[in-house]
């Protein structure tokens, strides 16, 4: 389980954020004493740091600079400042991503998992029920047969695979698709899911995707 | 300064001179002074008059002609006293000193207003960042405790966020200082961010977004461009035609000297009479009256931001068919080299 450390001085936001992250299967902790932020953040040994810019004592950009001297822990800047200057500055100090408040929570989670994956730099071959998932080729194979997925189907499948066993809402799937420049509408999502289902069935995984009325889908 | 006007202005002086000459002649005759002497005195008097008036005329003419010429050529006319030399005649000096005092007082007055405006803008900028915190917090709460109400809350929060952004960018567009960064910005990422932000509203009206050729980069401020496209998209999603599936197509085109970004929808369009005025402040037009909640500010702000960044935005439309905005970004080889 990845540990995420939240540096945010607004109490309400950091508590909700921690809850959001815990609900999504991360371990979340936050900073409460900003007097000694540098040591606290470094001592937390987190896998990823979510950092606001407007924080007491050292501001986020300075803190980021300090942290970068010691460690390569991924940092996502989360701030209410919408200006290119802050983004350019943050990125040049070594931030891995920059998100402005208010953000769509699903998008935030997508970015977190993307940054974590990049940091882990694992070869992205995963398996599902004995099927090899090949991201680069965009295909599934069971050793003998290989089934090519379209880009949309791959995005949907990957998203569900990361959350295997728990409910994925249509809304989250839509966000994942749109985040990958696939601006599809509702009908297209339905079509993509049913195609994905039949492709999985052909590979011997019948009923892999279960529909939950009014809630979403579960990959078994 | 014309001689005739000057003489007319000096009428009183000539009248008094004439009266005194008359009186002098009267006394000279009364004392039986010889005619030759009288004539000589008259000639001397006349010569003195002409010499005095000619000198006076040219002294003033030089100064005032110079002033008028400089006034005509001057862009900021209130700076005139900086351009003039203090004249060497009394009334001119008094006026010149008056100019300086008036100008100083005006500068102080203007800078007081400028300070007030700057303070206000700074406060707005700060306020917008502050208001985003509770909005962000509420958005997280709505997500964490999502039931049926959650989605509705999210929708309203997005509206609040949209309106606060408008205020922020309005303040930025009116600001004289440079608070943007122009750098190479990939269109694809920018468009994706805008689309993501408007995904829910787009889905509510069943709109789809088509993109083409967005692999280009343009020289602009990414955040400003995102806001501008967001305004255009909000309009496209608002002015849709009943019974027609809304389609927004965004495409980019590269020309030798510039990049064009086309933003086209198949909505209600803008009538020919309204089209030239859509970028005016507070202009709502036919569509604004037909649909509630038009402020007439969105496109005005977009246009001001474009002007400040040096982009050119144009609109084309056919009523009931489509609206297409085109933003032209200048290409600068210099930036590419650096």
């Amino acid at each position: 389980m990845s540990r995420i450390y939240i540096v945010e001085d607004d109490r309400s936001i950091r508590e909700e954020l921690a809850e959001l992250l815990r609900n999504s299967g991360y371990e979340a902790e936050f900073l409460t004493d900003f007097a000694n932020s540098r040591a606290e953040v470094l001592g937390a040994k987190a896998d990823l740091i979510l950092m606001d810019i407007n924080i007491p004592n050292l501001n986020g950009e300075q803190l980021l600079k300090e942290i970068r001297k010691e460690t390569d822990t991924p940092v996502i800047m989360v701030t209410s400042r919408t200006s290119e200057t802050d983004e350019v500055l943050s990125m040049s100090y070594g931030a891995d991503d920059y998100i402005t408040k208010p953000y769509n929570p699903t998008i935030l989670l997508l970015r977190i998992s993307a940054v974590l994956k990049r940091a882990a730099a694992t070869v992205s071959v995963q398996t599902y029920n004995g099927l090899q998932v090949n991201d680069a080729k965009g295909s599934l194979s069971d050793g003998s047969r290989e089934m090519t997925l379209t880009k949309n189907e791959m995005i949907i499948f990957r998203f569900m695979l990361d959350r295997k066993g728990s409910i994925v809402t249509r809304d989250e799937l839509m966000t994942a698709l749109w985040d990958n420049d696939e601006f599809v509408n509702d009908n297209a999502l339905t079509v993509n899911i049913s195609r994905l289902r039949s492709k999985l069935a052909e590979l011997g995984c019948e009923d892999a995707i279960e529909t939950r009325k009014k809630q979403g889908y579960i990959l078994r | 300064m014309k001689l005739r006007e000057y003489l007319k202005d000096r009428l009183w002086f000539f009248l008094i001179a004439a009266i005194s000459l008359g009186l002098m002649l009267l006394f000279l005759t009364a004392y039986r002074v010889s005619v030759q002497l009288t004539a000589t005195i008259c000639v001397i008097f006349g010569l003195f008059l002409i010499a005095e008036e000619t000198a006076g005329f040219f002294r003033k003419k030089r100064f005032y002609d110079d002033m008028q010429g400089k006034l005509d050529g001057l862009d900021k006319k209130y700076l005139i006293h900086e351009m003039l030399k203090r004249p060497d005649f009394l009334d001119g000096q008094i006026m010149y000193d008056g100019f300086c005092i008036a100008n100083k007082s005006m500068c102080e007055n203007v800078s007081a207003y400028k300070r007030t405006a700057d303070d206000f803008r700074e406060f707005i900028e700060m306020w917008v960042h502050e208001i985003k915190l509770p909005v962000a917090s509420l958005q997280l709460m709505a997500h964490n405790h999502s039931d049926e109400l959650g989605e509705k809350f999210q929708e309203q929060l997005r509206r609040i966020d949209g309106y606060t952004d408008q205020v922020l960018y309005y303040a930025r567009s009116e600001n004289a200082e440079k608070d943007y960064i122009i750098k190479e910005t990939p269109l694809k990422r920018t468009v994706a961010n805008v689309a993501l932000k408007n995904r829910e509203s787009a889905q509510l009206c069943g709109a789809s977004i088509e993109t083409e050729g967005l692999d280009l980069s343009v020289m602009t401020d990414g955040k400003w461009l995102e806001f501008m496209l967001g305004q255009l998209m909000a309009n496209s999603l608002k002015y849709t035609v009943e019974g027609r599936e809304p389609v927004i197509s965004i495409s980019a085109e590269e020309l030798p000297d510039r990049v064009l970004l086309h933003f086209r929808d198949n909505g209600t369009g803008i009538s020919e009479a309204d089209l030239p005025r859509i970028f005016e402040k507070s202009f709502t037009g036919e569509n604004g009256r037909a649909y509630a909640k038009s402020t007439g500010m969105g496109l005005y702000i977009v246009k001001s931001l474009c002007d400040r960044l040096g982009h050119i935005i144009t609109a084309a439309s056919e009523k009931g068919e489509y609206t297409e905005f085109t933003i032209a970004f200048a290409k600068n080889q210099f930036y590419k080299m650096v």
Side-chain angles (χ1 to χ4, degrees), chain A residues 12-13 16 20 80-82 84-85 87-88 101-104 111 171 174-175 178-179 181 183 186, chain B residues 129 132-133 137 139 141 143-144 161 168 172 183 188-189 192 195-196 199-200 203 221-223:
Chain A
S12 161
I13 292 184
E16 292 296 331
L20 171 77
S80 66
R81 285 208 228 170
T82 37
E84 197 74 20
T85 325
E87 179 162 350
V88 170
K101 283 181 206 155
Y103 38 75
N104 178 328
R111 296 287 156 80
D171 209 57
M174 275 298 214
T175 309
W178 281 50
D179 195 40
D181 304 325
F183 311 122
D186 241 18
Chain B
H129 296 316
K132 287 194 181 234
L133 300 181
S137 181
Q139 208 157 40
M141 287 178 196
H143 186 91
N144 286 343
D161 187 37
L168 178 66
R172 283 183 179 173
K183 65 177 185 61
K188 196 163 199 160
R189 197 62 244 164
L196 260 179
R199 185 181 65 80
E200 286 87 355
Q203 261 169 285
D221 181 293
K223 292 281 176 303

Side-chain angles (χ1 to χ4, degrees), chain A residues 25-167:
Chain A
Y26 294 107
E27 215 177 296
E29 262 185 73
F30 44 75
L31 180 66
T32 43
D33 174 23
F34 288 86
N36 206 4
S37 45
R38 185 179 165 276
E40 293 268 338
V41 173
L42 287 172
K45 300 259 176 284
D47 297 308
L48 185 141
I49 301 166
L50 288 179
M51 184 141 64
D52 188 14
I53 291 183
N54 286 324
I55 47 174
N57 197 10
L58 280 180
N59 83 22
E61 281 153 356
Q62 294 164 324
L63 185 56
L64 172 62
K65 218 171 152 185
E66 290 293 316
I67 292 171
R68 274 289 169 266
K69 285 180 192 160
E70 307 283 331
T71 165
D72 284 334
T73 310
V75 175
I76 300 182
M77 302 300 276
V78 183
T79 170
S80 66
R81 285 208 228 170
T82 37
S83 91
E84 197 74 20
T85 325
D86 284 308
E87 179 162 350
V88 170
L89 208 59
S90 297
M91 296 313 250
S92 74
Y93 286 162
D96 295 78
D97 206 341
Y98 185 96
I99 298 172
T100 51
K101 283 181 206 155
Y103 38 75
N104 178 328
T106 315
I107 297 176
L108 180 70
L109 292 172
L110 278 173
R111 296 287 156 80
I112 289 174
S113 83
V115 168
L116 280 174
K117 250 185 220 163
R118 229 186 300 153
T122 45
V123 190
S124 56
V125 177
Q126 268 184 309
T127 55
Y128 166 72
N129 264 2
L131 296 179
Q132 291 271 321
V133 183
N134 191 330
D135 267 337
K137 284 162 89 179
S139 66
L140 299 176
S141 74
D142 63 353
S144 55
R145 284 170 304 171
E146 186 157 10
M147 180 72 77
T148 313
L149 300 185
T150 63
K151 189 183 168 196
N152 288 356
E153 289 160 3
M154 197 65 198
I155 293 167
I156 295 169
F157 184 68
R158 282 238 61 114
F159 191 82
M160 292 178 116
L161 189 57
D162 287 343
R163 314 270 297 270
K164 198 178 154 198
S166 55
I167 298 177

Side-chain angles (χ1 to χ4, degrees), chain B residues 25-288:
Chain B
L25 284 174
L26 201 71
F27 281 107
L28 287 174
T29 343
Y31 286 109
R32 294 172 199 281
V33 178
S34 73
V35 180
Q36 284 94 332
L37 191 57
T38 313
T40 317
I41 290 174
C42 280
V43 168
I44 292 173
F45 188 80
L47 281 177
F48 161 75
L49 212 68
I50 290 167
E52 195 274 337
E53 282 307 282
T54 318
F57 172 69
F58 280 108
R59 200 155 66 148
K60 290 192 176 173
K61 183 177 166 58
R62 202 180 329 123
F63 176 73
Y64 287 113
D65 280 359
D66 179 43
M67 183 175 103
Q68 270 169 335
K70 279 175 177 158
L71 260 184
D72 285 344
L74 210 58
D75 173 31
K76 295 193 165 94
K77 308 226 187 279
Y78 56 84
L79 289 176
I80 183 68
H81 82 284
E82 305 278 1
M83 306 276 298
L84 295 177
K85 246 175 50 193
R86 196 164 184 266
D88 51 3
F89 50 94
L90 183 66
D91 50 343
Q93 287 170 348
I94 293 171
M95 191 198 65
Y96 179 86
D97 294 343
F99 263 175
C100 294
I101 295 168
N103 203 273
K104 189 160 169 269
S105 140
M106 189 204 69
C107 286
E108 279 164 9
N109 207 3
V110 168
S111 69
Y113 275 110
K114 197 174 164 299
R115 256 200 312 278
T116 323
D118 283 350
D119 285 351
F120 187 65
R121 199 190 59 79
E122 249 168 56
F123 174 67
I124 290 284
E125 184 111 355
M126 197 188 76
W127 182 89
V128 168
H129 296 316
E130 292 296 318
I131 197 79
K132 287 194 181 234
L133 300 181
V135 173
S137 181
L138 281 171
Q139 208 157 40
L140 284 167
M141 287 178 196
H143 186 91
N144 286 343
H145 311 282
S146 67
D147 38 36
E148 281 198 13
L149 274 178
E151 187 45 42
K152 285 184 182 162
F153 285 161
Q154 300 263 16
E155 178 63 28
Q156 298 308 315
L157 288 168
R158 272 192 294 276
R159 278 180 64 192
I160 294 178
D161 187 37
Y163 289 131
T164 44
D165 267 351
Q166 258 195 359
V167 171
L168 178 66
Y169 281 94
Y170 177 65
R172 283 183 179 173
S173 72
E174 300 283 295
N175 178 23
E177 277 153 51
K178 180 178 176 288
D179 54 2
Y180 49 86
I181 295 184
I182 294 201
K183 65 177 185 61
E184 203 163 313
T185 310
L187 282 174
K188 196 163 199 160
R189 197 62 244 164
T190 310
V191 168
N193 283 345
V194 175
L196 260 179
K197 231 181 172 173
N198 291 282
R199 185 181 65 80
E200 286 87 355
S201 342
Q203 261 169 285
L204 272 181
C205 56
S208 51
I209 298 175
E210 292 166 358
T211 59
E212 202 193 316
L214 292 183
D215 294 316
L216 299 171
S217 288
V218 294
M219 301 303 304
T220 187
D221 181 293
K223 292 281 176 303
W224 287 34
L225 183 61
E226 252 173 56
F227 171 80
M228 294 193 276
L229 293 179
Q231 292 295 308
L232 298 182
M233 193 168 284
N235 280 348
S236 294
L237 295 175
K238 189 151 105 184
Y239 303 116
T240 52
V241 176
E242 198 83 29
R244 185 197 294 168
E245 186 182 300
V247 178
I248 296 172
S249 47
I250 306 171
S251 58
E253 176 186 357
E254 187 163 23
L255 300 179
D257 58 335
R258 58 191 191 276
V259 175
L260 298 181
L261 180 67
H262 301 285
F263 191 101
R264 184 186 173 109
D265 67 40
N266 60 350
T268 53
I270 302 162
S271 75
E272 216 173 302
D274 283 352
L275 196 57
R277 301 187 56 200
I278 52 168
F279 292 119
E280 284 174 23
K281 197 178 193 165
S282 306
F283 178 76
T284 49
E286 253 173 61
N287 289 344

